[in-house]
Amino acid sequence: MSHNTSTIDTSDREIVNARVIDAPRDLVFSAWSDPRHITHWWGPRGFRTTTHSMDMRPGGVWRFTMHGPDGRDYENKVTYREVISPERIVYDHEGVGADSGVVFKSTVTFDDLDGRTRMTFRMVFASPEVKDHVATYGAVEGLEHTLQRLSEHAALMYGSDAKPALEIRRTFSAPRDLIFSAWTEPERMAKWLGPHGFTTTSCRLDPVTGGTYRAGIRSPEGEDRWMSGVYREVVAPHRLVFTFAWDEAGGARGHETIVSVSFEDVNGQTEMTFRQATFASVESRNSHRGGWSECFQRLSAFLSSK
């Protein structure tokens, strides 16, 4: 007796993206399953996400709101169909309210590559017409941005002797808007940038996504150092993500890292979480820890004077 099997071809109604992430599979999977992490990377650049509830098991539901850079909110509901940690997630994704017509099935797979992870994200729509309609609203670009943000967040989460990362948390007795402006307004940033005894000689900021910055600081001995980078995300007053590198001898750009700074309002105070990765060495990471810690002491003093 023979058995015939058939496979439904869905290629004409799929959007697929694959990416190799420089972090272990367990960590990348946890970035999907922990609301504290998913809020840092879910959605296109410029968006932020508020999770209302997450029950990540077959039949469980994740309810969340995506906040667009234009101020519009997008209500969403995910119903999990399959969860195999740390290998595979399958779920139905649907909009809520005004966005209720947006429905698709997603399959996310995680392949171990000896300490790295190949993640494949597949969205399947009801028809090619629905897929094309969603694509006109930037779904392909939005997925690409989302996976870029996940890759960056995974690097910031993952620290080891081979790939050193830095995290510093501080709570300031100042409103979030003021602290965010201290990071994004040159005249305010100049008051605290640099370790104790340093002065800021130049501070040029263009704090928009894709904008650049360049700043110079002078040590008590008169040595000048320059730092620069590109803003990857600016979501006022919630989050900044930017690249960071020092100028080296001859003006060459040194080793580049990624910095993320998030600001959370906690009963009138602000909890700031600073992350930077990946450093060229543990020694470099430790040196930056000391330098940034002194910067944040100066930031606290500056905020107290306002």
Side-chain angles (χ1 to χ4, degrees), residues 94-112:
E94 59 185 289
V96 177
D99 302 303
S100 58
V102 180
V103 181
F104 54 90
K105 178 180 178 181
S106 291
T107 300
V108 190
T109 57
F110 307 83
D111 296 315
D112 181 22

Side-chain angles (χ1 to χ4, degrees), residues 158-225:
Y158 177 47
S160 68
D161 287 349
K163 301 170 183 177
L166 170 63
E167 179 176 302
I168 301 174
R169 296 178 182 267
R170 293 286 186 272
T171 299
F172 299 101
S173 298
R176 181 169 57 178
D177 287 348
L178 176 60
I179 298 177
F180 190 85
S181 69
W183 276 90
T184 55
E185 296 179 10
E187 63 276 10
R188 291 185 169 180
M189 193 174 200
K191 300 293 186 182
W192 62 269
L193 186 63
H196 294 310
F198 280 68
T199 56
T200 301
T201 58
S202 177
C203 189
R204 301 196 301 274
L205 312 176
D206 182 18
V208 298
T209 300
T212 62
Y213 72 90
R214 181 170 170 79
I217 57 176
R218 181 169 294 159
S219 73
E221 296 76 28
E223 178 187 4
D224 287 333
R225 297 207 66 185

Side-chain angles (χ1 to χ4, degrees), residues 14 50 56 80 107 113 144 165 172 207 217 248 251-252 258 271 284:
E14 291 182 354
T50 299
M56 194 175 180
Y80 296 103
T107 300
L113 301 179
E144 175 66 20
F172 299 101
I217 57 176
E248 296 184 340
I258 298 173
E271 182 179 286
S284 177

